[in-house]
Amino acid sequence: MEIEQDPNASRIAGDTAPGDAGLRWIGKSINRVEDPRFLRGEGRYIDDITLPNMLHAAIKRSPHAHARIKSIDTSKAEALPGVVRVLTGQDVKEHANPLPSFSMNPGIQHDMIAIEKVRHYGECVAVVVAENRYIAEDACDLIEIEYEVLPAVLDPLKAREEGSPLVHEALGKNEAYSRTFSFGEVDKAFDEAARSVTVDLYWPRSTGMPMDTNGAIGDYDAGTGVLTIHANSMNFTYFLWLIAGTLKIPSAKLKIVPVVAGGSFGSKFFMHKVPTFAGWLSLMVGKPVKYIEDRVTHIVNNDHAGSDRRYKAELAFEDDGTFQALRIDCVDDYGAYLQFGVGTHGNALSQICGPYTIDHVEYSLAAVLTNKNQQGAYRGFGAEVSNWILERLVDHAAHDLGMDRVEIRRKNLIQADAFPYRTPTGNIYDSGNYPGVLDKVLADFDYDYWVKYRDDARKEGRHVGIGVVASQERSVFSSTEFWFWFDEPAFSPTSSPESASIQIEPTGQIVVTLHSQAMWGNSPETVVSQVIAEEFDVDPTSVVITYADSQHALPGTGPGGSRYTVMVSGAVAGAASQMKDKIKRIAANKLEAAEGDLEFRDGGVGVKGAPDKQLSLSDIAMMAYMFKLDLPPDMESGLATQWTYDHPLTTLPNADRSDLGMFYPFVGHAWHMAVVEVDPGTGRVEFLRYSAVHDAGTVVNPKTLNGQIIGGTVQGLGTAMLEEYIYDDQGRVLNENFEHYHLPSSMDVPTMTIGHQETPSPYTAYGIKGAGEGGRMLTPAIMSAAVEDALSPYGVRITSLPISAEQIVAWAAGD
Amino acid sequence: MSTIENQLVTVTVNGRTYERAVEPRKALSDFLREDLELTGTHVACEHGFCGVCNILLDGQTVRSCLLFAVQVDGASIETVESLAAPDGTLNALQQAFNDNAGLQCGYCTPGMLMTAKEYLDANPDGGTDDQIREAISGVLCRCTGYQQIVESIRAAASAGKGA
Ligand code: FES
Ligand code: FES
């Protein structure tokens, strides 16, 4: 198929064509330039920052999942020496507006502090501002609250029934959204196919759980009226006026300063509550106020629980294993609020058929509200769940046919000559060579060897199992996924840009300013340094990187949805291209050469083939700043450029939503293969082999990409084997700390081999595709497959996560 | 609520001796971060389960969130700030983490480095990967999946042997 591209898109590729083999710095495993400060303990995370006269806040959390607040007595807390102020929902009602929400549903209101009613365990009911955190927490214990406990809405299926208690009375029901999308001729395809499998599946609620919780410092300057908020999140710089709206201040008086974060994994993606709260507290007390979630608060009161989905999923296929149609029915438990609407399902629809040729898809969704912590973003943003569903269906189909799990997948792969490939929902896969990735992983893993090993081991009574899974990794979202759910959306943005500015100082120093989130575990500074090195032939470690605050920021969306490396590279390449044009004009004028004869070399610009005709960046910058009469006559002084890079390949959905348009088109691909040995007595799962091959387009830095792949794989392993919010029948979270909420440790994880195939994207700068979420897309499926295979003597079919040790022992015992 | 008097604590941290009056209930992690302004030591759970706050107390790793500052009176402590040279040059262990992508967000890194230092002091040849994995199993990292941390520690051991 032919695709028409944004005319700007070609401009951003700099002087280098996508996938150009001549790249000098892109593709090199340089050491991360961010590392030294963190290794020295000089990271300046949010809790490391202290402002003069700063106060500290702690929150009083609700012990109930659902209750009416009858009275709050703060007098004892206020009387404690060191306490400055105690605030409740009443103060929020008087002095602030509700928190922003993209759900566009007026029946669902979310406030910084619960007003009149609490809707989940751990929700904030009061806050103490005190001289230090110890006193603030002491005072929380002195707040006396009388509740009228209401029946907790916990089961999303019962919550949909008539007569269920309501989470939001103003909504009048608990089902916030439901719709069925149909693409192709689904019923006909199911009728005509020789076979089908139907599986009920459950994916439990868990969360990204960064080591550094969410935090912010509000600093209100009464003199200027400017409220500065230091926060370990700053996404969507063009939506920060929403925060000003909650705070009832003019957006021009709001300044958010991005601070390094010790991990996000979604938990700091448009993290609005914590910064807004810290800012509001500072407005209320007139001094700087620090608010940092402790671990318990982060677990029970962060706004980013992951998906919590019950599925009925069906796959239709032929006797030879050819897939025909997919039907998915999902009830998703969103918790007490709905900040991003059902965007996590929009995300899933970008690659719902995975790497397989399936032409007919039906997708039904019911988004239900319950008395649980609300969903937000978690690495994968819902697409990791749909990949698990799809791969489970494929394994069930293979089982049904008695077909090899590699062969059934290979048979249905989209072929290398089919790109750009239009998926049934309308989203595009830009480029790929999926059989190539499969061949690579088969060679690295040695599939035949392990099949024989498993069969021999089984004869000895050992429980060895093999898992084989494929996945797509869509990257770079366009905003349409948040609203194509509605025929007439209240708000239908279509931009999700990223910006960069480049300045060259008179000394020749290159300074790049980034315009959204500071680093949060990814490598923005390393990526940018490599792109600058590529464009200007300078040492990447010489580049200085700064971050704009929100008052100075150009449009920036920040990391998320595996977008940042692609988008920031495009933005820097665009700004570099403009900068190089200007430098060439200055140099051509000075050297009396044609611009076309100039090249960037050795940290300067010179005439091709004439080594002595060269100017350094400092020579150029000196002229640009101080010697106007040396410049071409029509040129202004200064040496700074900026570029805002829009999503290079996106289209609108059509009116009846039978075509959702292109909204997630840069699509990577991966295969993982693993061998595990399960101890049926203890439930322990040990890895004998783990092999991964990814295609993320042009690789910028193999070493850091491998880090993302391994980290994501292990995080997915946590989802697969360990992690889950456990609620009692009152809706209280029973595992609200690390003693009971278990993350994978160094003893629980495999040592992986990682291979790369590079199929550049034709549409992005340098051909890069995003890759930050890939690992987590695969592990839930591979662990389900491998453990199921190992336990096949017991006839186990894995249909829910996590696959706990207790569950394995129970299966083996025949329970 | 009665006010409890502050107690005087004398402690040597990274070779420098400090004397501070401190509330008896103040956690050592908070004391290091707030009273001594050594914010390299981080906390992630404050109840002993993540190891991110690990420091060396008289040469042994301890969870600084589980001790009160008054308990370390007279002791000698090393934190992440002790590792690099005064001019900021990374030591061999830190350099190995940089070379082998042993960190992503860097938040667990101080606890990881101090734990690795204790291990390498006792096992200068680095031991096996399984031993390394066991040695760091008390420190949680959410970013790396540990593999490149293990490689970093092994590389640091090899670098030590070469020197
Ligand atoms: S912060 Fe001390 S063990 Fe987690
Ligand atoms: S590097 Fe982020 S927690 Fe370890």
Side-chain angles (χ1 to χ4, degrees):
Chain A
M1 62 178 291
E2 286 294 309
I3 288 182
E4 208 174 297
Q5 230 190 320
D6 181 338
N8 277 335
S10 60
R11 166 120 182 108
I12 48 72
D15 290 348
T16 326
D20 189 328
L23 295 172
R24 289 172 287 196
W25 287 102
I26 289 173
K28 273 210 167 125
S29 277
I30 70 164
N31 282 359
R32 290 201 332 162
V33 300
E34 295 89 346
D35 284 356
R37 63 188 196 266
F38 299 110
L39 286 161
R40 289 192 294 255
E42 297 167 345
R44 282 181 71 79
Y45 301 92
I46 187 70
D47 199 22
D48 301 344
I49 297 169
T50 299
L51 302 182
N53 303 316
M54 187 174 78
L55 301 171
H56 300 259
I59 66 163
K60 176 85 174 169
R61 296 182 299 262
S62 167
H64 305 294
H66 197 192
R68 213 166 291 289
I69 302 166
K70 290 177 71 181
S71 67
I72 305 185
D73 183 350
T74 59
S75 55
K76 285 189 188 135
E78 277 157 353
L80 187 72
V83 169
V84 174
R85 193 85 181 262
V86 182
L87 296 157
T88 69
Q90 210 46 48
D91 299 290
V92 164
K93 199 172 171 179
E94 280 166 33
H95 300 286
N97 286 319
L99 287 162
S101 166
F102 295 103
S103 82
M104 295 298 149
N105 195 325
I108 308 169
Q109 180 175 323
H110 186 201
D111 293 287
M112 288 184 281
I113 304 179
I115 300 171
E116 285 153 21
K117 177 170 139 159
V118 292
R119 293 187 175 82
H120 66 85
Y121 176 79
E123 184 161 19
C124 175
V125 278
V127 58
V128 176
V129 180
E131 279 167 17
N132 66 47
R133 178 75 184 227
Y134 286 73
I135 295 171
E137 290 187 19
D138 285 346
C140 282
D141 291 341
L142 299 175
I143 298 172
E144 290 167 357
I145 305 174
E146 213 186 325
Y147 293 98
E148 175 196 340
V149 178
L150 302 169
V153 182
L154 299 174
D155 178 340
L157 303 179
K158 287 194 189 133
R160 296 169 80 187
E161 289 168 8
E162 199 70 34
S164 165
L166 295 176
V167 179
H168 291 270
E169 283 79 5
L171 186 64
K173 56 185 177 177
N174 293 319
E175 188 175 274
Y177 179 88
S178 74
R179 180 164 181 168
T180 298
F181 282 106
S182 204
F183 308 97
E185 297 177 301
V186 182
D187 290 342
K188 184 161 172 277
F190 266 90
D191 285 347
E192 287 174 9
R195 293 162 177 262
S196 68
V197 286
T198 305
V199 198
D200 290 326
L201 295 154
Y202 173 59
W203 176 284
R205 201 178 202 85
S206 65
T207 188
M209 202 72 86
M211 287 293 111
D212 186 17
T213 59
N214 300 348
I217 303 169
D219 182 11
Y220 178 57
D221 177 342
T224 61
V226 172
L227 173 64
T228 302
I229 303 173
H230 305 258
N232 55 10
S233 175
M234 190 173 94
N235 297 71
F236 298 98
T237 55
Y238 41 93
F239 279 133
L240 298 180
W241 51 271
L242 291 172
I243 289 179
T246 299
L247 294 168
K248 298 187 173 179
I249 60 172
S251 57
K253 298 284 187 186
L254 174 67
K255 175 161 108 180
I256 298 188
V257 181
V259 175
V260 160
S264 166
F265 317 111
S267 75
K268 296 179 179 75
F269 181 78
F270 195 62
M271 175 188 84
H272 48 84
K273 185 169 72 189
V274 167
T276 312
F277 193 51
W280 182 68
L281 295 175
S282 183
L283 282 173
M284 295 300 286
V285 302
K287 281 186 177 183
V289 179
K290 179 186 274 187
Y291 172 63
I292 311 277
E293 294 172 340
D294 61 19
R295 181 57 55 189
V296 177
T297 302
H298 183 75
I299 291 178
V300 300
N301 188 34
N302 84 68
D303 292 308
H304 289 282
S307 300
D308 187 348
R309 301 183 181 172
R310 286 154 181 79
Y311 283 94
K312 182 172 184 239
E314 297 172 83
L315 179 68
F317 52 100
E318 305 299 344
D319 289 330
D320 67 354
T322 304
F323 303 155
Q324 296 292 9
L326 187 61
R327 191 185 275 137
I328 289 177
D329 186 353
C330 178
V331 176
D332 200 342
D333 178 348
Y334 270 89
Y337 303 101
L338 196 65
Q339 59 183 341
F340 297 132
V342 292
T344 47
H345 288 272
N347 201 298
L349 285 172
S350 66
Q351 53 175 50
I352 194 67
C353 299
Y356 310 119
T357 47
I358 302 174
D359 293 336
H360 313 281
V361 184
E362 184 180 287
Y363 195 93
S364 304
L365 167 67
V368 181
L369 301 180
T370 60
N371 290 118
K372 295 174 191 164
N373 194 18
Q374 79 169 326
Q375 279 191 28
Y378 185 10
R379 202 176 199 168
F381 208 69
E384 82 285 21
V385 193
S386 63
N387 196 61
W388 179 66
I389 301 301
L390 181 63
E391 291 296 291
R392 286 280 71 204
L393 280 172
V394 171
D395 281 347
H396 275 75
H399 188 258
D400 185 57
L401 291 164
M403 196 169 170
D404 179 79
R405 291 173 293 165
V406 173
E407 279 324 302
I408 195 170
R409 288 174 166 86
R410 184 191 287 281
K411 186 170 187 58
N412 289 284
L413 285 180
I414 297 162
Q415 293 301 302
D417 59 6
F419 296 94
Y421 176 85
R422 185 185 182 281
T423 72
T425 64
N427 191 41
I428 294 291
Y429 297 164
D430 58 338
S431 64
N433 176 5
Y434 304 161
V437 179
L438 172 56
D439 289 339
K440 258 194 149 141
V441 75
L442 282 172
D444 180 61
F445 179 75
D446 201 346
Y447 184 64
D448 296 337
Y449 168 83
W450 285 108
V451 168
K452 180 166 178 339
Y453 181 96
R454 173 197 62 191
D455 294 345
D456 290 347
R458 209 165 270 171
K459 284 183 204 132
E460 296 164 20
R462 292 164 60 199
H463 298 85
V464 173
I466 299 174
V468 172
V469 297
S471 176
Q472 300 297 83
E473 185 181 6
R474 81 287 171 277
S475 68
V476 192
F477 59 81
S478 136
S479 326
T480 55
E481 70 168 342
F482 291 98
W483 56 260
F484 59 52
W485 295 90
F486 303 94
D487 289 330
E488 286 168 27
F491 185 59
S492 51
T494 57
S495 308
S496 37
E498 200 62 50
S499 303
S501 329
I502 301 175
Q503 184 172 359
I504 301 182
E505 296 182 348
T507 58
Q509 174 66 56
I510 300 180
V511 181
V512 180
T513 302
L514 304 180
H515 295 269
S516 51
Q517 177 64 38
M519 178 265 191
W520 62 11
N522 52 342
S523 315
E525 297 168 26
T526 306
V527 169
V528 168
S529 299
Q530 287 183 261
V531 173
I532 290 288
E534 190 65 54
E535 293 297 330
F536 293 96
D537 196 23
V538 294
D539 175 358
T541 63
S542 73
V543 181
V544 171
I545 316 276
T546 65
Y547 297 91
D549 64 56
S550 67
Q551 280 190 328
H552 302 94
L554 300 167
T557 308
S562 298
R563 69 182 299 285
Y564 196 72
T565 298
V566 174
M567 293 301 287
V568 82
S569 297
V572 171
S577 175
Q578 289 199 318
M579 176 62 84
K580 289 165 80 172
D581 285 351
K582 182 160 185 181
I583 290 172
K584 279 187 180 171
R585 286 186 60 210
I586 296 171
N589 186 53
K590 182 74 181 174
L591 296 170
E592 293 174 351
E595 280 176 46
D597 292 339
L598 297 173
E599 65 180 351
F600 284 81
R601 64 184 185 216
D602 308 326
V605 62
V607 180
K608 287 177 196 156
D612 54 329
K613 289 197 104 183
Q614 162 116 1
L615 293 167
S616 68
L617 289 183
S618 174
D619 296 333
I620 299 277
M622 283 283 182
M623 279 188 265
Y625 285 98
M626 278 167 277
F627 305 108
K628 163 75 179 154
L629 299 181
D630 283 350
L631 300 180
D634 59 339
M635 184 180 280
E636 74 287 4
S637 290
L639 202 53
T641 59
Q642 64 184 49
W643 188 259
T644 295
Y645 181 47
D646 267 304
H647 195 300
L649 192 65
T650 182
T651 55
L652 286 168
N654 70 358
D656 69 4
R657 303 296 188 259
S658 58
D659 177 351
L660 301 177
M662 290 189 259
F663 61 99
Y664 236 135
F666 313 127
V667 181
H669 179 69
W671 281 80
H672 286 200
M673 296 194 177
V675 187
V676 301
E677 179 154 7
V678 178
D679 180 340
T682 63
R684 179 173 165 76
V685 176
E686 200 185 332
F687 290 92
L688 305 183
R689 179 82 174 90
Y690 199 112
S691 172
V693 176
H694 284 243
D695 187 340
T698 303
V699 175
V700 179
N701 185 320
K703 186 159 61 180
T704 61
L705 175 57
N706 289 351
Q708 290 293 321
I709 291 170
I710 301 166
T713 299
V714 166
Q715 206 163 30
L717 185 66
T719 307
M721 309 301 288
L722 296 168
E723 296 179 39
E724 165 182 38
Y725 277 95
I726 301 170
Y727 295 89
D728 70 6
D729 58 4
Q730 312 287 305
R732 288 177 291 232
V733 179
L734 298 179
N735 55 344
E736 60 183 7
N737 54 41
F738 281 165
E739 182 178 3
H740 301 292
Y741 188 108
H742 293 161
L743 306 182
S745 84
S746 57
M747 308 285 281
D748 301 322
V749 303
T751 300
M752 314 168 55
T753 55
I754 300 171
H756 300 283
Q757 176 179 280
E758 295 186 66
T759 311
S761 174
Y763 310 105
T764 66
Y766 313 108
I768 302 166
K769 300 180 185 183
E773 296 160 287
R776 192 165 177 264
M777 298 272 182
L778 293 115
T779 354
I782 203 164
M783 295 314 294
S784 302
V787 174
E788 183 174 278
D789 190 32
L791 296 181
S792 60
Y794 305 104
V796 168
R797 307 297 291 158
I798 291 175
T799 54
S800 70
L801 300 177
I803 311 163
S804 67
E806 293 87 337
Q807 177 67 72
I808 290 171
V809 171
W811 278 327
D815 300 348
Chain B
M1 208 171 266
S2 63
T3 339
I4 302 166
E5 267 186 34
N6 287 353
Q7 279 185 29
L8 208 60
V9 173
T10 308
V11 60
T12 302
V13 182
N14 304 335
R16 181 170 157 196
T17 302
Y18 298 84
E19 197 179 79
R20 292 284 189 280
V22 59
E23 250 192 291
R25 65 165 172 173
K26 187 148 203 171
L28 176 58
S29 48
D30 290 341
F31 175 75
L32 292 168
R33 293 176 48 78
E34 294 167 10
D35 297 62
L36 305 189
E37 295 177 357
L38 294 169
T39 54
T41 300
H42 305 146
V43 294
C45 74
E46 298 176 273
H47 76 145
F49 281 86
C50 73
V52 164
C53 66
N54 275 6
I55 56 156
L56 291 175
L57 176 66
D58 295 327
Q60 273 201 314
T61 52
V62 296
R63 267 104 159 98
S64 60
C65 73
L66 287 186
L67 283 167
F68 295 112
V70 293
Q71 289 176 280
V72 300
D73 189 36
S76 173
I77 283 173
E78 286 163 79
T79 68
V80 68
E81 286 92 344
S82 70
L83 298 179
D87 70 353
T89 306
L90 303 181
N91 78 1
L93 178 62
Q94 292 168 310
Q95 191 58 51
F97 270 65
N98 188 205
D99 294 342
N100 293 280
L103 65 155
Q104 289 179 25
C105 79
Y107 199 78
C108 72
T109 308
M112 218 36 111
L113 288 171
M114 299 318 283
T115 307
K117 176 175 160 46
E118 178 190 46
Y119 172 76
L120 289 173
D121 286 348
N123 304 276
D125 70 345
T128 64
D129 280 6
D130 281 349
Q131 287 171 316
I132 296 173
R133 283 187 181 275
E134 189 166 349
I136 60 166
S137 63
V139 187
L140 292 176
C141 173
R142 189 58 154 171
C143 298
T144 63
Y146 306 102
Q147 183 166 327
Q148 289 164 314
I149 293 178
V150 174
E151 284 162 13
S152 301
I153 295 172
R154 191 167 359 93
S158 315
K161 261 184 287 181

